[in-house]
Amino acid sequence: MTILAETAVSGCRRNLFAFISLLILTLIIYSNTFDASWHFDDENNILNNTPLHLTELSVPNITQTFFADWNRTGGLYRPVAGLSFALNYYFGGMDVHGYHMVNMAVHFLSAFFVFLFTHHALNLTILNNKYGKNSYFIALLSAVLWAINPVQTQAVTYVVQRMTSMAGLFYMMAMYFYLKGRTSTPGFSRNTLYFLFIICGILAMGSKENAITLPFSILLFDLFLIQGISKPSVKRSFFLFLIMGAACLFLGILLKGPAILDLQDLISRYQNRGFTLGERLLTEPRVILFYISLLFHPMPNRLCLEHDIIVSTGLLTPPSTLIAILVILAIIAAALSQAKKRPLISFCIIFFFLNHLIEGSILPLELIFEHRNYLPSMLFFVPISILLSGGIAFFSRKRGLRTILVIFVILVLVGWGHSTYARNVVWKNDGILSFDCVEKYPDLARPHHNLGRFYLKNEQYEAAIMEFQISLSKKDINNLAGKNWTYYNLGSVYQTLGNDDKALFYYEQAQKYQPSFAPTHIRKGQVFLKRGLYDEAAEEFHKALKSRKHLPSALTNLGHLFLQTGQTAKAVNHLKLALQSAPQDPVIMRRLGLAYMLDNQPAKAFILFKTSLEITPDDPFTLLELAALYGDRGMETKKQEVMNRFFAVFAESPLNLKRFIDGMRFRSDPQRADHSHQQHLLRFLAGACQERSREYAAMAEDCLRLP
């Protein structure tokens, strides 16, 4: 007795039903993510990654997105994912809704191709007699179980992890097109399918490097499910494995250089980790078993952005280390031994462990992240769906037991779907996510640090200081230099509060952990600049540039320093360089506009002020500069229009206007070369305020004229 009548409707209609079903399910369980905020790595990888801020669809602009490594290494960096972020920016700027919509679409399509690949694999000659009648049910159930599993939320709702989900999508598309091409008759159709397979494989590797396992997955798939296990096929496949391994090594050297063969370099990259290469290799088997437990029992209380795990320092420390290694070896051995009898189940098991190999072995990465399950788990639920399908068929004559099993499957689907929806609530903003991490793992440093950053962004300075201090007392085995960020943020809080002495103290503490950290040099330079210590400030800004060449913030601050010291030509040059590195930065535009004004080039200043206001239309500094420029040119109507916009910024809180004016007065230092310009702006603003006060006085008189 079959689960579904495979021949009741056409293949096209069955695929359409699967397509619509997966789309509806994905939309429902991820419907509360579209306004989820940016998080943590999103800032460096997207928000502050200027090469991805695409404003024109030109070849040079598109090309620069291929090299948008936020570390500015200059090398090719996940170009496919980078281009997708750039296109998001082109069509919607920093509006997070568009990014989430793309992420959800990628996840839905991934699930659909999991279904297509599984359905066609189950109908291969080697499997058709065993699974063909129930292939549709098995394929759809396995795709649904994978798609709605709450573990996938980190790869889908966390915007930057589109790198992971896109790699998974193109990986599965490549496998599907290979399967279709391998089983089709020779000719144009087969060649087209193989071409699509190659393109999707390249796109997968261009999304994230862990897709490099694709050729090995294809070889295993071909051996297990196309050729079948035999001595000749095993020998032939082993030879191909060696060739493929050499080709991948060559490709790695081509892209990353010969340093990938340097064991000493690899070991040295562990210096900021709280574990060695050997300890990571011992710990990862326990991590992978934990991943498996999450896939089976993915309740929200077990999921977290970061997990606390004891590092394995020996086979018996802790004892679960040896147990985990033996369990994994036993699972793999069982899969290999059953490869001839149960090729699909064996392949799915090997597929899972193979695709954990890149991020779960020697690379000096952090120990555990849930999004690393995305690609390895794509076929994880196929054996489980086969088991459930067999169970339902087995109990076909025992309606009670069959009903219980069907209800169990339905409850799992509903429960996991609800858990995914509930887990996505935690991703609403940094505060909720950080609170969740602190509650689950209070002894980790990073959750407290992240909560402190949330408080800092929301100007809750006392709470931020408290969380940063707690963070300093906690452990962070993944990043021994992590205290650098915490000390840096403490310095930022105190600098914001005007306590520059404490700010400098914490910046110096930060530099003990990362002496060349550019943001710390910039912050220290700003303190020195505020105190009029120009030589010391310039030294800090130059150190930041030495650490990161053409860093926009360092160039901008140097330009500002030169404006204050009367070196207008130098200011213009540095600010132009800064704008080249960050062409959409409105602050750099405003400062360069000011530099042009002081250099008697008002036409260029006009252009920069107007362009800056297109990006930040309510920036009071730029509005005042532009209005004053209109006033100096006798363009009264334009001046009045811009000043109306200026006062509208402070309409809800006149106290903020007083603070703005106080800030301008504070910066109007007679020792600064731009003092006369600051005085001119203050006089201009004073006149505008007087004009407005006269207007309101006249309206007051009108009110008092009784009929």
Side-chain angles (χ1 to χ4, degrees), residues 50-54 59-68 583:
T50 51
L52 296 182
H53 298 169
L54 191 65
V59 173
N61 286 352
I62 291 173
T63 302
Q64 76 176 5
T65 68
F66 300 160
F67 303 89

Side-chain angles (χ1 to χ4, degrees), residues 504-673:
L504 283 175
F505 169 78
Y506 284 115
Y507 291 146
E508 286 162 6
Q509 296 302 309
Q511 288 180 323
K512 291 179 181 178
Y513 289 90
Q514 280 188 268
S516 61
F517 189 59
T520 307
H521 287 299
I522 291 169
R523 285 287 194 169
K524 284 181 70 177
Q526 289 172 342
V527 174
F528 292 140
L529 186 60
K530 178 182 174 183
R531 293 178 171 181
L533 302 172
Y534 298 120
D535 291 339
E536 290 86 343
E539 182 181 358
E540 293 296 333
F541 297 145
H542 281 299
K543 284 180 179 178
L545 285 172
K546 187 177 180 181
S547 172
R548 284 182 61 181
K549 193 177 180 181
H550 302 309
L551 182 63
S553 54
L555 291 166
T556 303
N557 278 284
L558 268 173
H560 190 50
L561 182 152
F562 290 134
L563 283 177
Q564 291 190 26
T565 55
Q567 302 175 73
T568 310
K570 281 189 175 182
V572 169
N573 289 336
H574 280 76
L575 289 166
K576 283 170 67 177
L577 285 173
L579 195 59
Q580 288 174 13
S581 297
Q584 296 300 309
D585 192 315
V587 175
I588 299 175
M589 291 179 189
R590 171 167 55 82
R591 288 188 175 174
L592 182 55
L594 173 59
Y596 279 131
M597 282 186 64
L598 297 177
D599 200 39
N600 294 316
Q601 299 186 63
K604 292 183 178 180
F606 263 122
I607 295 170
L608 285 163
F609 290 148
K610 289 179 179 179
T611 308
S612 175
L613 287 171
E614 288 175 4
I615 301 170
T616 52
D618 296 329
D619 178 43
F621 295 99
T622 311
L623 288 168
L624 184 61
E625 293 278 11
L626 183 60
L629 199 53
Y630 279 132
D632 293 343
R633 300 298 178 273
M635 303 167 72
E636 289 299 315
T637 303
K638 288 285 188 182
K639 181 198 83 171
Q640 196 59 47
E641 287 177 1
V642 177
M643 284 310 295
N644 287 340
R645 289 171 60 186
F646 172 85
F647 283 112
V649 173
F650 302 101
E652 293 184 5
S653 177
L655 182 61
N656 287 338
L657 176 58
K658 182 181 184 306
R659 290 171 180 162
F660 177 85
I661 294 170
D662 289 342
M664 289 190 64
R665 290 175 60 248
F666 177 79
R667 286 189 297 274
S668 184
D669 185 348
Q671 302 300 317
R672 288 171 48 164

Side-chain angles (χ1 to χ4, degrees), residues 315-371:
L315 284 173
L316 296 174
T317 50
S320 55
T321 303
L322 181 59
I323 295 171
I325 293 171
L326 293 175
V327 167
I328 289 175
L329 289 175
I331 294 172
I332 294 173
L336 292 174
S337 68
Q338 294 293 308
K340 190 170 185 177
K341 188 176 180 181
R342 297 179 177 85
L344 179 59
I345 294 174
S346 296
F347 173 72
C348 292
I349 292 170
I350 300 298
F351 181 90
F352 177 81
F353 290 108
L354 172 65
N355 283 290
H356 267 303
L357 192 61
I358 301 297
E359 293 176 307
S361 57
I362 64 173
L363 296 181
L365 305 172
E366 296 180 335
L367 289 172
I368 179 171
F369 276 120
E370 290 163 13
H371 68 262

Side-chain angles (χ1 to χ4, degrees), residues 68-87:
D69 182 1
W70 71 273
N71 286 310
R72 303 295 190 270
T73 60
L76 192 68
Y77 182 71
R78 301 177 182 177
V80 179
L83 179 59
S84 76
F85 291 133
L87 291 173

Side-chain angles (χ1 to χ4, degrees), residues 6-7 11 14-15 115-140 176 179-180 183 221 225-226 344 382 386:
E6 291 286 313
T7 58
R14 283 186 278 118
N15 288 346
F115 159 76
L116 288 177
F117 173 79
T118 306
H119 187 217
H120 283 80
L122 289 164
N123 284 285
L124 288 168
T125 303
I126 202 169
L127 300 174
N128 186 262
N129 289 336
K130 195 170 186 178
Y131 304 119
K133 292 181 179 180
N134 295 325
S135 60
Y136 185 80
F137 173 79
I138 294 169
L140 186 55
Y176 171 71
L179 165 59
K180 292 286 289 180
T183 55
F221 171 75
L225 296 164
I226 303 290
L344 179 59
V382 174
I386 290 173

